[in-house]
Amino acid sequence: MCRVVDLQQAVLARNDETAHALRAGLAARGTTVVNLLSSPGSGKTALLEHELALARERGVPVAALTADLATENDADRLARSGVPVKQVLTDGLCHLEAGMLARHLERWLPDPTRLLFVENVGNLVCPASYDLGETLRVVLASVTEGEDKPLKYPTAFGLAHLVVVTKTDIAEAVAFDEAAFRANVERVNPGVDVLLTSVRARQGLGTLLDRALAAAEGAPPHSPVMARQAGHGHEHGHGLGHEHGHEPHRTPLPTRS
């Protein structure tokens, strides 16, 4: 008799167990994780560089871990902020997993570190399904990506605690429809905050750091509706096998107590 095993469910279950342990361990040492997800070229590295520098100016102990398939370009940029930075090369894997993050934090994460910003691989598909032990999950999209981005990637946007729009200084030039974008975000994640930012125009800068610090102090993040809804269609690209056509049931990302 053959037993059919849903490999995707098994991998996610194992990852969630690791993420839970990692979250608890980091909380015990006073560290809160912020997971940043976006498509390539969204501008998240530029925004993160500014937020890290601002944290250093304020005396907030922060660090950053950035993941890419290749090159250390983003780590070099983030290091200009003057805070500890670590580059993770995934060797072709399109996302980080909790176990990978835990291994890379061993003997590296400075003590004390109040906030750890994780710049996930540029991809809105695979990373969306993997809890990294974060307290705050942020999804970014630039004004050049189109107002329907949340509808195309409902898992990523549906699990976000905060949605950040970048490059608003060119919104008019690309005819970005802010109202339509907000409406589409609301469809997949009712009530989630949408933050408008521009590094060039210095719009909304510092707000991401403020939200991260609030989460570190125990402020509850937005509770994502998709985490409570089974049966949603979703996007895959991680090669785990996905003959199934439904979103595996996901529990809300725990908040720090």
Side-chain angles (χ1 to χ4, degrees), residues 51-62 80-83 209:
E51 300 298 291
L52 293 175
L54 181 59
R56 185 167 181 254
E57 291 174 11
R58 293 184 183 178
V60 179
V62 297
R80 296 185 305 202
S81 66
V83 310
L209 176 60

Side-chain angles (χ1 to χ4, degrees), residues 200-223:
R200 286 186 177 181
R202 305 190 66 78
Q203 177 186 10
L205 302 185
T207 307
L208 176 58
L209 176 60
D210 290 341
R211 287 292 296 264
L213 287 170
E217 293 301 320
H222 172 74
S223 181

Side-chain angles (χ1 to χ4, degrees), residues 110-152:
D111 197 9
T113 296
R114 190 74 181 103
L115 298 173
L116 172 63
F117 287 91
V118 176
E119 184 180 16
N120 219 313
V121 180
N123 184 346
L124 283 177
V125 183
C126 314
S129 297
Y130 289 84
D131 181 1
L132 299 182
E134 70 261 31
T135 296
L136 186 66
R137 177 177 288 206
V138 182
V139 174
L140 302 90
S142 75
V143 298
T144 62
E145 296 178 57
E147 296 82 3
D148 60 348
K149 200 79 170 185
L151 303 182
K152 290 182 176 180

Side-chain angles (χ1 to χ4, degrees), residues 22-34 60-63 109-116 133 135 212-213 215-218 256-257:
L22 179 60
R23 183 182 291 107
L26 289 172
R29 59 179 288 174
T31 300
T32 296
V33 177
V34 181
V60 179
V62 297
L109 188 65
D111 197 9
T113 296
R114 190 74 181 103
L115 298 173
L116 172 63
T135 296
L213 287 170
E217 293 301 320
R256 239 184 101 188
S257 57

Side-chain angles (χ1 to χ4, degrees), residues 1-13:
M1 178 178 178
C2 295
R3 181 184 178 187
V4 178
V5 178
D6 189 328
L7 182 58
Q8 170 70 6
Q9 292 280 3
V11 169
L12 290 176

Side-chain angles (χ1 to χ4, degrees), residues 79-125:
R80 296 185 305 202
S81 66
V83 310
V85 175
K86 184 178 180 65
Q87 177 75 57
V88 174
L89 297 180
T90 63
D91 294 324
L93 192 64
C94 63
H95 62 277
L96 283 174
E97 297 179 7
M100 296 168 60
L101 179 60
R103 289 192 297 273
H104 283 284
L105 294 182
E106 289 179 4
R107 296 182 296 278
W108 170 75
L109 188 65
D111 197 9
T113 296
R114 190 74 181 103
L115 298 173
L116 172 63
F117 287 91
V118 176
E119 184 180 16
N120 219 313
V121 180
N123 184 346
L124 283 177
V125 183

